[in-house]
Amino acid sequence: MAISYAWDVKTVDTKTIDSNADTVFNVHWRLTATDDTNNDADGNPQTASVYGTQGLDTSDLSSFTAFADLTASDVQGWVETAMTADTVTEIKAGLDATIAELVTPTSQTKTIG
């Protein structure tokens, strides 16, 4: 499997902290995994996603970035740092397992009668 991951971190909560308007303190994120080698019955890549929120440490705003200057890459970096690398790895492993189950199911749901 060749799985790629895409973060969506565009939705954030802001407030004014220490006269810094629109300080991002919480991020609503989604991480989507896409397997480009195993397609579903319709020919689409297998995908799995997970979402959540991540609070950010705003105790040190010495390198504050104005909201208008923020990029998704900036916010993604903050989220991954706040989560820790181990947690991000665990989330990606869970997505990988979900895709593996889609590609090679180990169970079936059936209806009796």
Side-chain angles (χ1 to χ4, degrees):
M1 275 187 268
I3 296 178
S4 60
Y5 306 93
W7 286 91
D8 178 346
V9 293
K10 293 181 269 186
T11 304
V12 298
D13 298 323
T14 67
K15 62 183 174 182
T16 299
I17 300 175
D18 297 333
S19 73
N20 295 303
D22 292 327
T23 302
V24 176
F25 69 94
N26 194 50
V27 179
H28 303 266
W29 58 267
R30 177 178 300 274
L31 182 59
T32 301
T34 302
D35 178 353
D36 65 358
T37 59
N38 293 293
N39 293 337
D40 65 16
D42 296 324
N44 301 309
Q46 299 284 1
T47 63
S49 65
V50 63
Y51 63 91
T53 58
Q54 180 62 53
L56 302 177
D57 180 4
T58 58
S59 62
D60 179 8
L61 298 177
S62 59
S63 60
F64 179 78
T65 304
F67 188 82
D69 297 328
L70 287 179
T71 66
S73 180
D74 294 332
V75 178
Q76 177 184 333
W78 297 342
V79 168
E80 290 189 54
T81 297
M83 285 182 168
T84 75
D86 288 343
T87 300
V88 173
T89 298
E90 289 173 13
I91 292 170
K92 288 180 177 180
L95 291 170
D96 293 352
T98 299
I99 288 176
E101 181 66 22
L102 291 170
V103 172
T104 310
T106 58
S107 65
Q108 296 178 6
T109 301
K110 296 185 176 188
T111 304
I112 298 174

